[in-house]
């Protein structure tokens, strides 16, 4: 038992010696960490402040100095007080205070440090994500416009069918009356309407092609801006300008879709038929013309429904997603894309919370020192310096006691013995 106590006492003395040596530069280390965090905080907060000049620099410096001071004082308090706590309740209380303070440090400093470390890269990531969104929107708008242009073939087929029927009527195949009578004119009327619609659709094709090519050119420029060297802020300004132009082109492509036009034309195809006067010479001929026109109107209704369904399918296609570029600061970009910059976040947090590890190390060491001193006699736990101090104190006590005794002796001298009286002769 005595050997174990002696070993514990020796370990406690050794650990105290190490802590004494480490204490000599711990404060300086905490100060360096606090200053480094303050510098990166200054760089991060500079990206959030508006304006230029001395006022912006002064505000950023004031904030960074306050952060550095707070970090240094906070960890200095914990470095001294936490290892001295002996009860579980007191340690839990200080642990809660350390957790709360660490959260405050991350909130006021670490995210700004991360902005300084990876802010430019995060903004470039935001630009790249925006380019992808705009590309999807542009391709979707072009796909809808091209699909609408494909309705030209459907219109051409319907037109061609009416032209073929009109040729058959001219030869007398339909109504039995050869020539260009009432049935022929009805067929030609609808054929002419469809021909005009076909030309209108065809005129939109060059506009769609030109708009899509211009949009791709803008996308290429926006992609180049995301990877160009130099400060990201001026690139973001130009990127915003290109994004506005690209949004206008996407809107133009949506407006160039002819599907709504084809749908309305198909609805009017059967509803707006101008019936000519029956020109048959006899009642039987006019009856045959009327029956043929009725059949033609039924066919016209069928063709119109087919064309309307084709246009409705294009209209029902999902529209391009709404995409709007929102400028973002470096600090906000680091938070939004935090998952892509985990190493930067880890470094930013570590420089602020590394002293917590030192606090735990000192606390564990102090606990071992107290455990090693348990059961040891006072003479086993005293260091040379403490022994010297005790000896000096003992000498001072002895000297003070001696001086006090001398003073007391001088103040109260001992009584003299009585001399014998002389005899009378």
């Amino acid at each position: 038992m005595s050997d174990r106590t002696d070993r514990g006492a020796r370990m406690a003395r050794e650990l105290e010696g190490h802590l004494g040596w480490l204490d000599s530069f711990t404060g300086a280390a905490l100060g360096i960490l606090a200053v480094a965090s303050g510098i990166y905080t200054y760089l991060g907060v500079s990206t959030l402040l508006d304006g230029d000049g001395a006022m912006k620099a002064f505000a950023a410096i004031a904030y960074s100095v306050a952060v550095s001071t707070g970090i240094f004082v906070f960890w200095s308090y914990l470095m001294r007080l936490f290892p001295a706590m002996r009860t579980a309740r007191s340690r839990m209380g200080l642990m809660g205070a350390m957790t709360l303070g660490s959260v405050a440090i991350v909130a006021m400093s670490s995210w700004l440090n991360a902005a300084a470390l990876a802010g430019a890269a995060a903004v470039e990531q935001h630009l790249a994500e925006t380019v992808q969104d705009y590309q999807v929107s542009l391709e979707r708008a072009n796909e809808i416009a091209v699909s609408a242009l494909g309705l030209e073939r459907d219109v051409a087929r319907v037109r061609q069918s009416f032209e073929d029927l009109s040729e058959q009527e001219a030869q007398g195949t339909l109504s039995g009356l050869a020539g260009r009578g009432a049935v022929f004119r009805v067929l030609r009327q609808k054929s002419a309407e469809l021909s005009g619609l076909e030309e209108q659709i065809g005129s939109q094709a060059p506009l769609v092609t030109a708009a899509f090519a211009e949009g791709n050119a803008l996308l290429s420029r926006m992609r180049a801006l995301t990877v160009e060297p130099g400060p990201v802020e001026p690139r973001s300004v130009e990127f915003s300008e290109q994004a506005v132009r690209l949004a206008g082109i996407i809107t133009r492509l949506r407006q160039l879709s002819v599907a709504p036009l084809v749908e309305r034309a198909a609805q009017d195809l059967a509803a707006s038929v101008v019936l000519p006067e029956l020109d048959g010479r006899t009642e039987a001929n006019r009856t045959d013309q009327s029956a043929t026109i009725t059949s033609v109107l039924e066919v016209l209704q069928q063709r119109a429904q087919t064309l309307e369904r084709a246009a409705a399918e294009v209209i029902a296609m999902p529209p391009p997603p709404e995409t709007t570029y929102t400028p973002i600061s470096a600090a906000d970009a680091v938070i939004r894309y935090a998952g892509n910059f985990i190493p930067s976040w880890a470094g930013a947090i570590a420089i602020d919370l590394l002293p917590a590890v030192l606090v735990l190390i000192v606390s564990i060491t102090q606990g071992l020192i107290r455990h090693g001193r348990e059961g040891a006699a006072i003479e086993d736990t005293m260091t040379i310096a403490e022994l010297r101090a005790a000896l000096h104190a003992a000498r001072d006590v002895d000297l003070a006691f001696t001086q006090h005794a001398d003073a007391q002796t001088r103040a109260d001298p001992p009584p003299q013995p009585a001399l014998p009286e002389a005899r009378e002769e």
Side-chain angles (χ1 to χ4, degrees), residues 193-275:
E193 292 179 7
L194 292 171
S195 179
L197 179 61
E198 187 179 354
E199 292 176 1
Q200 191 172 0
I201 295 174
S203 65
Q204 298 291 93
L207 301 178
V208 172
T209 302
F212 186 61
E214 185 179 356
N216 279 324
L218 292 176
L219 277 175
S220 299
R221 178 56 186 160
M222 292 167 69
R223 290 192 191 94
L225 288 173
T226 62
V227 295
E228 280 186 358
V232 72
E233 185 175 353
R235 286 186 282 147
S236 298
V237 174
E238 184 179 353
F239 186 93
S240 179
E241 296 173 355
Q242 301 294 336
V244 171
R245 294 177 56 190
L246 183 56
I249 291 175
I250 293 174
T251 302
R252 191 195 314 167
L253 277 173
R254 297 179 64 177
Q255 294 172 349
L256 287 174
S257 175
V258 295
L261 177 64
V262 173
E263 185 181 37
R264 290 192 299 270
Q267 293 171 354
D268 296 339
L269 189 62
S272 60
V273 178
V274 179
L275 297 176

Side-chain angles (χ1 to χ4, degrees), residues 5-204:
T5 302
D6 293 341
R7 286 196 300 270
R10 286 195 297 271
M11 181 187 69
R13 287 194 296 270
E14 183 179 358
L15 291 176
E16 284 180 337
H18 293 323
L19 284 182
W21 180 77
L22 293 173
D23 250 353
S24 61
F25 62 85
T26 299
L30 288 178
I32 292 173
L33 289 175
V35 170
S37 178
I39 293 173
Y40 282 102
T41 301
Y42 170 80
L43 296 176
V45 78
S46 297
T47 63
L48 297 177
L49 299 177
D50 295 330
D52 295 316
M55 195 57 173
K56 176 181 177 180
F58 177 77
I61 291 173
Y63 186 85
S64 61
V65 170
V67 168
S68 298
T69 304
I71 291 175
F72 179 78
V73 172
F74 175 74
W75 291 120
S76 297
Y77 270 57
L78 286 176
M79 192 74 70
R80 290 294 180 182
L81 298 179
F82 191 85
M85 296 296 106
R86 294 175 178 267
T87 63
R89 183 176 180 180
S90 61
R91 289 187 178 183
M92 290 299 296
L94 273 187
M95 183 66 73
M98 184 168 66
T99 302
L100 183 61
S102 299
V103 173
I105 289 174
V106 172
M108 71 180 182
S109 174
S110 297
W111 70 291
L112 294 173
N113 296 348
L117 292 172
V123 173
E124 290 178 351
Q125 178 72 23
H126 179 64
L127 299 182
E129 294 282 346
T130 304
V131 168
Q132 293 179 1
D133 294 340
Y134 272 110
Q135 181 175 0
V136 171
S137 183
L138 177 65
E139 291 179 351
R140 188 60 181 170
N142 181 69
E143 180 184 359
I144 294 174
V146 171
S147 299
L149 292 177
L151 294 173
E152 182 181 4
R153 294 188 296 270
D154 298 321
V155 174
R157 283 196 296 269
V158 177
R159 174 189 57 77
Q160 188 63 44
S161 67
F162 285 123
E163 288 182 355
D164 294 341
L165 289 174
S166 65
E167 292 298 329
Q168 294 176 17
E169 174 62 18
Q171 297 173 6
T173 306
L174 296 181
S175 63
L177 300 174
R180 299 175 179 269
V183 177
F184 180 85
R185 289 195 298 274
V186 170
L187 293 171
R188 282 297 182 177
Q189 173 190 342
K190 293 304 168 184
S191 177
E193 292 179 7
L194 292 171
S195 179
L197 179 61
E198 187 179 354
E199 292 176 1
Q200 191 172 0
I201 295 174
S203 65
Q204 298 291 93

